Amino acid sequence: MADKKRTYLVTGGAGFIGSNYIHYMFDKYDDQIIIINFDKLTYAGNLANLSDVEGRDNYIFVKGDVTDRKDVSSVFEKYDIDRVVHFAAESHVDRSIVDPEIFVRTNVLGTATMLNCTRDAWQQEDGSFIEGKRFLHVSTDEVYGSLQEPKEGEEPSYFYETTPYDPHSPYSASKASSDFIVKAYIDTYGFPANITNCSNNYGAYQFPEKLIPLMIHNALEGKALPVYGDGKNVRDWLYVMDHAKGIDMVMEKGKLGETYNIGGHNERQNIQIIHTILDTLMELLPPEDTRRMNVSKDLITYVTDRLGHDRRYAIAPDKIKSEVGWEPDTCFEDGIRLTVKWYLENEDWVNNVTSGDYQKYYEEMYSNR
Ligand code: NAD
Ligand code: DAU
């Protein structure tokens, strides 16, 4: 009998990182794996991100809600799942400030439901888990809180896996809670899981509510570029495919029960990112493209700061490097060019996701800022 193909249950696979991860996995493993993409298709989920894998025999899409036990357990009843990669979440900090409850529901209850259903499927009568099964919970560096900017002559501080949790936004608090539930499963049941805490991702298919795609989109339309506060908050940017690679490597080589931080030491102030985007747009737009006329530094507009805005994030990726052998492949200069190019070449995708509800969101979030 032929070997069974390793079967992945990917939650939130129609979102930004989930869809890039699915592309990464099919590029790497082709027909050696089966991927079941389980997604509720909220405003952030978009099957167009996966149109090129739709026809594969080893790709299955299931519409479902991670907070719904019936939805999740029916997938485990139907398929023999070997790997769970749990991306599904509400992911935007600004939305969490306006409407925290859905973040608690999806991120906390959703993770608990995923863990419960997975445990039901994988735990044996003697309490042990079926050999070889693994669950990876995709989390964020925001659970660690906010770092200071280093003063002159001072060594900068970083987030390590041992840094105490200190979340500030409803989003990061909900992700921190979900991490604790995963840790509780590991400690209580010996549940076969890992947690990854990654820094800010950028790349193709990111919804234009997040800094980089929002600035690209607004600049091309000649709209104001809203900079929160003084624009000097620092984020540590990682190309999304390097995150996908890190998840795969932790899944296959990580020590069970461990947490791994993922980041590429690429700290930039928001205002620097915006300048880089404007420069890259001018470099890539051909002279005859009328959108060039819109792109200008004069669009930069300082607006009221985000409530509770974390000052600086910076990951120490030492552990994933030494224990798992992960390192990023794409430097920021290359990654941002690839990203801006993708948005220039995929205007239809952008137009689709920015029609309808997006306009309402933008109005509510930015009109009185
Ligand atoms: P996203 O908002 O782009 O995608 C989230 C996906 O989850 C969407 O496809 C959505 O439809 C789906 N979803 C939401 N609620 C659901 C539910 N109840 N049931 C099933 N599916 C549901 O998010 P993203 O930026 O791709 O982030 C993915 C994960 O990675 C999240 O857990 C996030 O916390 C984490 N993360 C993100 C970043 C980042 O920079 N974007 C960095 C580190 C960690
Ligand atoms: O650090 C990982 C996290 O990165 C993930 O867990 C989150 O899911 C992801 O959304 C991201 O959170 P941030 O809040 O850092 O990302 P965002 O793109 O929303 O904002 C990046 C920075 O840019 C932040 O300092 C706020 C600022 N900003 C953002 C927007 C949308 C602006 O100045 N103007 C804007 O319009």
Side-chain angles (χ1 to χ4, degrees):
M1 200 177 87
D3 280 348
K4 172 185 171 287
K5 288 182 185 175
R6 203 154 69 210
T7 303
Y8 288 75
L9 171 57
V10 176
T11 72
F16 163 49
I17 307 176
S19 59
N20 277 287
Y21 169 79
I22 291 175
H23 285 125
Y24 176 87
M25 293 298 281
F26 281 136
D27 282 350
K28 180 166 177 189
Y29 298 103
D30 196 10
D31 58 2
Q32 293 166 262
I33 56 169
I34 295 171
I35 293 184
I36 297 150
N37 173 12
F38 180 90
D39 198 300
K40 186 181 174 184
L41 299 182
T42 67
Y43 80 93
N46 185 354
L47 287 179
N49 301 1
L50 292 157
S51 51
D52 53 337
V53 305
E54 243 165 39
R56 282 180 160 274
D57 294 341
N58 56 342
Y59 170 75
I60 297 148
F61 173 70
V62 177
K63 189 166 190 288
D65 185 336
V66 290
T67 68
D68 186 321
R69 242 192 113 79
K70 273 214 297 282
D71 281 1
V72 181
S73 54
S74 67
V75 176
F76 280 100
E77 277 155 26
K78 199 158 171 198
Y79 303 99
D80 179 13
I81 307 291
D82 302 300
R83 302 277 186 271
V84 175
V85 189
H86 180 41
F87 290 101
E90 289 293 332
S91 69
H92 190 36
V93 174
D94 290 331
R95 288 186 194 256
S96 83
I97 294 166
V98 176
D99 183 10
E101 263 184 50
I102 182 72
F103 283 73
V104 176
R105 192 175 162 71
T106 302
N107 300 358
V108 187
L109 179 63
T111 301
T113 308
M114 285 306 302
L115 290 164
N116 269 324
C117 295
T118 309
R119 181 175 161 231
D120 284 350
W122 290 353
Q123 198 169 27
Q124 304 175 112
E125 271 182 16
D126 65 358
S128 68
F129 287 82
I130 302 170
E131 187 66 32
K133 306 281 188 191
R134 299 183 76 132
F135 185 107
L136 190 142
H137 177 60
V138 181
S139 192
T140 169
D141 60 357
E142 299 201 10
V143 298
Y144 298 121
S146 180
L147 297 165
Q148 294 301 313
E149 286 148 298
K151 296 198 183 76
E152 237 185 86
E154 228 178 56
E155 281 298 307
S157 48
Y158 294 100
F159 294 139
Y160 287 86
E161 288 79 359
T162 49
T163 302
Y165 276 31
D166 184 22
H168 299 124
S169 71
Y171 164 70
S172 53
S174 69
K175 291 298 289 187
S177 311
S178 68
D179 290 10
F180 281 130
I181 296 170
V182 178
K183 285 171 199 272
Y185 265 65
I186 294 168
D187 293 346
T188 308
Y189 308 111
F191 187 79
N194 288 104
I195 299 172
T196 53
N197 294 90
C198 189
S199 63
N200 285 62
N201 283 215
Y202 69 99
Y205 304 110
Q206 188 168 31
F207 193 78
E209 63 186 352
K210 309 280 166 61
L211 181 75
I212 290 181
L214 185 138
M215 294 299 162
I216 297 171
H217 177 59
N218 281 16
L220 287 171
E221 300 231 309
K223 278 170 65 179
L225 307 178
V227 184
Y228 298 168
D230 65 3
K232 293 186 178 158
N233 298 65
V234 170
R235 296 293 181 265
D236 184 358
W237 295 94
L238 184 73
Y239 190 56
V240 64
M241 284 301 183
D242 282 322
H243 187 187
K245 174 180 152 188
I247 289 169
D248 181 44
M249 288 184 76
V250 168
M251 190 67 114
E252 300 315 318
K253 297 183 183 162
K255 198 169 148 218
L256 273 179
E258 293 292 312
T259 289
Y260 294 94
N261 284 352
I262 310 183
H265 277 308
N266 187 43
E267 291 174 46
R268 313 260 156 149
Q269 291 180 341
N270 295 335
I271 192 69
Q272 294 174 320
I273 295 283
I274 293 165
H275 280 285
T276 305
I277 289 171
L278 293 171
D279 292 345
T280 313
L281 280 169
M282 288 312 275
E283 187 198 322
L284 293 180
L285 279 166
E288 66 281 8
D289 195 313
T290 50
R291 292 175 296 177
R292 272 183 88 88
M293 314 262 284
N294 293 335
V295 180
S296 159
K297 300 210 154 116
D298 294 341
L299 297 172
I300 294 175
T301 309
Y302 286 87
V303 299
T304 312
D305 208 354
R306 173 185 277 176
L307 296 175
H309 197 175
D310 287 337
R311 191 62 178 172
R312 172 177 168 255
Y313 302 146
I315 283 272
D318 308 33
K319 181 174 170 184
I320 191 170
K321 216 170 166 177
S322 65
E323 286 188 15
V324 177
W326 175 88
E327 276 188 86
D329 293 325
T330 306
C331 68
F332 187 72
E333 288 65 30
D334 292 346
I336 198 72
R337 271 184 121 257
L338 286 171
T339 305
V340 170
K341 191 162 176 287
W342 187 87
Y343 280 92
L344 288 176
E345 288 169 356
N346 288 276
E347 242 189 327
D348 286 353
W349 183 93
V350 178
N351 290 340
N352 261 330
V353 301
T354 53
S355 60
D357 280 354
Y358 180 81
Q359 303 300 337
K360 198 168 150 252
Y361 163 80
Y362 201 85
E363 192 57 22
E364 277 170 14
M365 201 58 85
Y366 292 95
S367 61
N368 293 320
R369 211 152 184 151

